[in-house]
Amino acid sequence: GDGVFETMLVVDGAAVWREAHLARMKTSAGELGFPFETAVLAEAMDALLARCGKGMNVLRLAMTRGVAARGLAGSGKPSIIASLDPLPSGFILQPGKLVTSSIRRNETAPSCRHKTSSYIDAISAARDALARGGDDALMLNCAGLVASGTISNIFVLRGGELATPDLDQGILPGVTRQSILRLAPNLGLRGVERRVSLSELSHADAVFFTNSLRLVRQVTALDGKPMGKRSLEPLFDALCGSIGREAGRDPRLI
């Protein structure tokens, strides 16, 4: 579990939000005590992308602390693994049903603020959600406030406000999350980072999750209760248009 990683959507050989992903990984590596060589990671990425054809793929960069002396505080030369895999068709922008997990996001833990390989809480929550008929789990923090999904950030849309939990609520600073906040004013919305209570979700016009591969997942039901169904098409258009300008093609057209 002593490692950090990033997953990026690749459209026709172009890694979407590449610099933002590398910047986040560099920040996490610095805070967790990993030597970080941007040029080495960029070389590994470019070697894979050069062999990538048309369509959508997933690029994963992983870095572990490497071989070190026994004990928790040891440090060695980092090991780097880069992989490229096809993204299944129909994967992006799909809605989903959620169930509330009993597993909490610990807002004091480094594993919540960084994309580390210490993922057992999220894995357990996701498996439990599937067993209970959900597509993913809603995770609260230790204060009982809304935190995130297992691999995603959450947004609550009501009227002209688009709210998402603050970074101190046990969440990852998501790359797609940041893109949505930047796009909000262009959609006539006020993007707000604040504390979000569980009761707000049932009164929202729409609730959705975001991550770099699914992009946006509108929540259709939470614990069996239907959720707000306000159309997110304007958001889809803005986000996919932004990706299209960066990667050369709207991912919805692939």
Side-chain angles (χ1 to χ4, degrees):
D2 192 9
V4 293
F5 73 100
E6 291 286 331
T7 52
M8 304 175 210
L9 177 65
V10 177
V11 176
D12 291 347
V16 177
W17 301 315
R18 170 178 175 148
E19 297 308 317
H21 281 287
L22 286 175
R24 182 173 65 178
M25 193 175 190
K26 182 177 181 178
T27 296
S28 293
E31 293 190 24
L32 298 175
F34 289 81
F36 190 88
E37 297 183 43
T38 303
V40 174
L41 289 165
E43 182 180 0
M45 290 177 61
D46 290 339
L48 285 174
L49 294 174
R51 294 151 54 186
C52 181
K54 296 289 186 179
M56 289 199 291
N57 290 272
V58 181
L59 177 67
R60 189 179 193 273
L61 284 180
M63 182 169 63
T64 70
R65 201 175 298 275
V67 178
R70 292 190 62 82
L72 297 181
S75 184
K77 182 179 179 181
S79 299
I80 297 171
I81 301 172
S83 62
L84 186 71
D85 295 287
L87 189 71
S89 61
F91 192 81
I92 66 170
L93 304 175
Q94 293 300 308
K97 298 176 293 183
L98 302 182
V99 295
T100 304
S101 177
S102 61
I103 301 171
R104 298 293 178 98
R105 298 276 292 186
N106 179 359
E107 60 268 33
T108 69
S111 56
C112 284
R113 301 191 302 274
H114 303 289
K115 200 171 181 68
T116 76
S117 49
S118 302
Y119 243 49
I120 193 62
D121 288 350
I123 291 170
S124 298
R127 290 175 61 85
D128 178 63
L130 289 174
R132 292 162 59 193
D135 298 303
D136 199 357
L138 171 67
M139 300 187 74
L140 308 178
N141 63 21
C142 293
L145 296 169
V146 172
S148 67
T150 57
I151 55 171
S152 53
N153 294 115
I154 189 168
F155 282 85
V156 180
L157 177 60
R158 188 174 187 184
E161 183 187 80
L162 183 60
T164 190
D166 278 313
L167 292 178
D168 63 1
Q169 295 300 294
I171 70 167
L172 185 75
V175 172
T176 311
R177 172 185 182 273
Q178 194 57 43
S179 294
I180 296 291
L181 289 171
R182 283 198 302 268
L183 290 169
N186 299 331
L187 299 170
L189 300 173
R190 184 174 70 259
V192 179
E193 298 175 81
R194 60 171 174 81
R195 295 183 177 186
V196 177
S197 67
L198 182 58
S199 63
E200 289 183 56
L201 274 58
S202 60
H203 302 295
D205 297 332
V207 175
F208 60 91
F209 281 168
T210 63
N211 75 9
S212 294
L213 299 183
R214 289 193 179 275
L215 300 182
V216 175
R217 164 169 269 189
Q218 185 164 12
V219 178
T220 58
L222 174 62
D223 297 325
K225 298 179 180 179
M227 302 295 288
K229 296 182 179 180
R230 179 170 164 182
S231 174
L232 297 180
E233 286 298 325
L235 177 63
F236 295 168
D237 289 343
L239 185 63
C240 291
S242 174
I243 293 172
R245 289 188 292 275
E246 180 178 343
R249 187 157 55 142
D250 185 323
R252 294 172 296 181
L253 303 178
I254 298 176

